[in-house]
Amino acid sequence: LNNKLELQLAKDENINIENTIRQFKRDCQNIRDFSVTIIEANNIPINTFLFGILEFKNKKKAFFAKNAKEQINFSNILIENIGDKLYINIEDGMSTFSLPRSDQKIQLKPEYQRLHAKMAFNYLAFLYGCDYVSQSYFDPIRAWITYGGEDKFTKHMMNKDSAIQQIIKILPAYAHAILISESNNYIFGHVIIYGHWINLIVLCNNITSNRTNKLAGLICDWRQQKEFSIENLIKEHLIKEASNGTSNASFTT
């Protein structure tokens, strides 16, 4: 791997390097069809991750390995972006597998955070009605959305709720979504932009709920011009897994 982020592979008469790399590119772009094993190892350098596709008995599996202290986390979007950016050059008997460097910065002004909170709060009202969100439990978040002030409500992170994590993993590529979850008297809003940027909003931290349905959401798959609920997303995912004989997940909504 050189300083231009080019991986040079020597020619091997027994292996068609170009076809192998092209197949790897396609596999990256179709990562959602693979079972991925996450590996954490202290001997992997910080700021480095390893990703590979293994084929065994005509079945393919993927692995993603990183240092346990590394903040980079596996996501379908990350691997799909790698596949999208790969290109191949053939020079002097060498195959060059290139991954252009891409630096992106996202800066959110305070009013954008309040906008995301308003989106989540409005969706909560859509789900349960104006009378529900008019309760005093929601006075702090309502006041902050309306008047501003210190942000005690939003973070760029993901709730550790396993159901939320499962939902995010199966979202369509680059989709937008608003998710509502409940846990331990908290109501959280999750605003997801392009399948990657996740804003967590604490809508309430002291409410008692008897609802059995603790998860709701609306997904916008703008590339396919489709909108659907979490229930429909899970249904389609489980049908797909069942047809492939790979169903091993359960969801609680």
Side-chain angles (χ1 to χ4, degrees):
L1 186 67
N2 62 29
N3 58 5
K4 296 181 181 180
L5 292 181
E6 294 178 339
L7 177 64
Q8 293 186 330
L9 304 174
K11 282 287 187 179
D12 185 327
E13 293 181 356
N14 298 318
I15 299 176
N16 187 312
I17 298 297
E18 293 77 46
N19 287 345
T20 300
I21 294 174
R22 289 190 177 96
Q23 182 59 54
F24 182 75
K25 175 181 175 72
R26 287 192 294 268
D27 288 341
C28 287
Q29 293 170 325
N30 296 308
I31 186 61
R32 294 165 190 266
D33 296 332
F34 289 84
S35 171
V36 181
T37 299
I38 309 298
I39 302 169
E40 293 188 347
N42 292 328
N43 60 342
I44 299 176
I46 295 292
N47 297 325
T48 299
F49 69 84
L50 306 175
F51 176 74
I53 305 287
L54 301 176
E55 185 169 355
F56 181 70
K57 293 184 178 180
N58 297 323
K59 290 186 178 182
K60 290 185 176 181
K61 293 187 178 182
F63 70 86
F64 181 91
K66 65 169 189 169
N67 190 293
K69 297 180 181 179
E70 175 57 60
Q71 294 185 352
I72 296 174
N73 291 314
F74 169 81
S75 71
N76 291 328
I77 296 297
L78 173 65
I79 304 304
E80 287 168 345
N81 284 342
I82 290 174
D84 289 342
K85 294 175 182 177
L86 290 179
Y87 62 89
I88 302 168
N89 294 323
I90 309 299
E91 296 179 356
D92 301 326
M94 301 289 288
S95 296
T96 302
F97 162 42
S98 302
L99 176 59
R101 185 182 298 277
S102 176
D103 296 319
Q104 296 181 341
K105 294 182 179 179
I106 298 178
Q107 294 181 335
L108 289 182
K109 297 180 180 179
E111 54 264 35
Y112 294 166
Q113 302 283 48
R114 288 167 57 201
L115 174 61
H116 289 167
K118 180 175 175 60
M119 291 166 62
F121 192 64
N122 284 353
Y123 183 57
L124 186 69
F126 172 79
L127 288 172
Y128 305 127
C130 292
D131 289 343
Y132 178 77
V133 296
S134 295
Q135 296 179 87
S136 59
Y137 301 111
F138 299 101
D139 285 350
I141 186 69
R142 183 169 32 245
W144 180 69
I145 290 172
T146 305
Y147 303 110
E150 182 182 358
D151 182 1
K152 299 179 180 179
F153 306 93
T154 68
K155 294 181 180 180
H156 174 51
M157 61 179 292
M158 184 167 63
N159 189 343
K160 294 183 178 180
D161 185 296
S162 60
I164 288 290
Q165 294 183 24
Q166 290 180 45
I167 292 297
I168 290 174
K169 286 180 181 178
I170 65 172
L171 284 176
Y174 307 107
H176 306 316
I178 300 178
L179 311 178
I180 300 294
S181 64
E182 300 182 31
S183 177
N184 298 326
N185 298 329
Y186 280 76
I187 297 180
F188 299 101
H190 309 259
V191 177
I192 303 169
I193 306 297
Y194 292 112
H196 183 67
W197 183 261
I198 304 169
N199 238 4
L200 172 68
I201 302 107
V202 179
L203 297 174
C204 181
N205 63 6
N206 61 347
I207 194 169
T208 300
S209 173
N210 295 321
R211 266 190 297 273
T212 56
N213 186 344
K214 301 291 185 179
L215 182 62
L218 185 64
I219 295 99
C220 172
D221 184 1
W222 57 271
R223 297 202 305 177
Q224 301 297 325
Q225 299 184 347
K226 293 170 58 179
E227 292 184 352
F228 43 88
S229 66
I230 277 183
E231 289 80 5
N232 288 335
L233 174 70
I234 294 173
K235 182 179 179 180
E236 288 186 8
H237 175 72
L238 294 179
I239 290 174
K240 182 178 179 180
E241 283 206 329
S243 65
N244 294 333
T246 59
S247 181
N248 57 7
S250 62
F251 295 87
T252 301
T253 61

